[in-house]
Amino acid sequence: MKPAKSCTSRTSRHFLRLGLLAAGLAAVATAGPAQAAEAVAVAHDGVRTTADHRHHTQFRDSFSVRQLGTVAAARVDNRAVARSAGCTADDACRSVALSFQIITLSGEHVRLAAVNNGRAVNDHCTGCQTLAGAYQFVLSTPKATRLTPAAQRRLADIHRRLDALGASRLPAADLRKKADALAAEVTSVLAAPSSTTADRSARPTVKVHRQLDGWPVR
């Protein structure tokens, strides 16, 4: 004959399960804000062009503004790839790819992994002009901030002028100079204390990565 189960034992197990459940819910509630504070932001931008005997002149640009907010870590990637293929010295091609990536982020001791790559390829293309330019700007502040409307308007104007280069017939050497000049303007806008909503006494930190590849080599 089996002994009768203890009512006290069943009650103890019942309250034990409730206790474990409550502890689990408390742990989840505690983990929520911590996970939000440990946010990892990811941003990928880029542009690619190919010029050949059917499309002799190709120009594309990308101008991206990514306001990532307060993060613990960020992975950002910017690429420009230009390719010219199958043209001749008498029937030359021009392929230009320019990518501007603007990143703003906030936080103490942010772990940042940044890749910025410009790559130009001449594939059996004698006398072709091939230029790839990747420009990456990272603005960081210790406390949460955003670009001011005035700064965003100035960046939009730079974007319009970058687009206008596509309609020009400038050789690649002059395009490089124009792109560098526009990049210098972006840096000036971002570095100004009035560019963000942060305390004006805390000047933003701006890191610039630039890679140009192709003709003309510089």
Side-chain angles (χ1 to χ4, degrees), residues 113-185:
V115 175
N116 185 65
N117 186 26
R119 183 167 178 263
V121 179
N122 267 16
D123 186 5
H124 299 90
C125 206
T126 305
C128 293
Q129 298 182 38
T130 311
L131 180 66
Y135 299 83
Q136 186 180 63
F137 311 83
V138 180
L139 180 154
S140 59
T141 55
K143 296 183 179 179
T145 189
R146 291 187 64 81
L147 292 172
T148 63
Q152 294 187 61
R153 285 193 296 269
R154 291 186 63 188
L155 292 176
D157 177 65
I158 296 171
H159 186 185
R160 285 190 291 271
R161 284 183 281 144
L162 179 65
D163 288 341
L165 290 180
S168 72
R169 294 297 177 182
L170 293 173
D174 294 332
L175 280 173
R176 179 190 60 77
K177 294 177 182 177
K178 293 283 188 182
D180 277 347
L182 292 176
E185 286 191 52

Side-chain angles (χ1 to χ4, degrees), residues 1-24:
M1 181 177 179
K2 294 182 180 180
K5 292 184 179 179
S6 167
C7 179
T8 302
S9 176
R10 288 197 300 270
T11 303
S12 299
R13 287 197 297 271
H14 174 70
F15 281 107
L16 177 61
R17 287 195 297 270
L18 289 178
L20 291 174
L21 177 59

Side-chain angles (χ1 to χ4, degrees), residues 6-57:
S6 167
C7 179
T8 302
S9 176
R10 288 197 300 270
T11 303
S12 299
R13 287 197 297 271
H14 174 70
F15 281 107
L16 177 61
R17 287 195 297 270
L18 289 178
L20 291 174
L21 177 59
L25 291 174
V28 171
T30 303
Q35 289 170 353
E38 294 296 319
V40 177
V42 178
H44 297 285
D45 294 292
V47 67
R48 179 185 298 268
T49 59
T50 299
D52 54 31
H53 67 281
R54 294 172 299 174
H55 306 285
H56 288 79
T57 301

Side-chain angles (χ1 to χ4, degrees), residues 62-216:
S62 172
F63 193 100
S64 302
V65 180
R66 309 285 189 184
Q67 301 200 66
L68 304 182
T70 301
V71 298
R75 295 193 299 270
V76 296
D77 182 279
N78 182 49
R79 299 175 188 270
V81 180
R83 180 173 176 266
S84 295
C87 298
T88 65
D90 297 328
D91 190 26
C93 294
R94 189 189 76 168
S95 180
V96 178
L98 300 172
S99 184
F100 283 51
Q101 183 188 57
I102 299 167
I103 301 291
T104 72
L105 52 85
S106 305
E108 298 283 355
H109 311 298
V110 176
R111 298 184 300 276
L112 175 65
V115 175
N116 185 65
N117 186 26
R119 183 167 178 263
V121 179
N122 267 16
D123 186 5
H124 299 90
C125 206
T126 305
C128 293
Q129 298 182 38
T130 311
L131 180 66
Y135 299 83
Q136 186 180 63
F137 311 83
V138 180
L139 180 154
S140 59
T141 55
K143 296 183 179 179
T145 189
R146 291 187 64 81
L147 292 172
T148 63
Q152 294 187 61
R153 285 193 296 269
R154 291 186 63 188
L155 292 176
D157 177 65
I158 296 171
H159 186 185
R160 285 190 291 271
R161 284 183 281 144
L162 179 65
D163 288 341
L165 290 180
S168 72
R169 294 297 177 182
L170 293 173
D174 294 332
L175 280 173
R176 179 190 60 77
K177 294 177 182 177
K178 293 283 188 182
D180 277 347
L182 292 176
E185 286 191 52
V186 171
T187 304
S188 177
V189 170
L190 297 178
S194 59
S195 67
T196 71
T197 58
D199 184 349
R200 298 297 173 86
S201 63
R203 192 178 186 87
T205 299
V206 181
K207 293 184 179 180
V208 181
H209 305 117
R210 165 189 178 272
Q211 185 172 18
L212 282 170
D213 187 35
W215 188 93

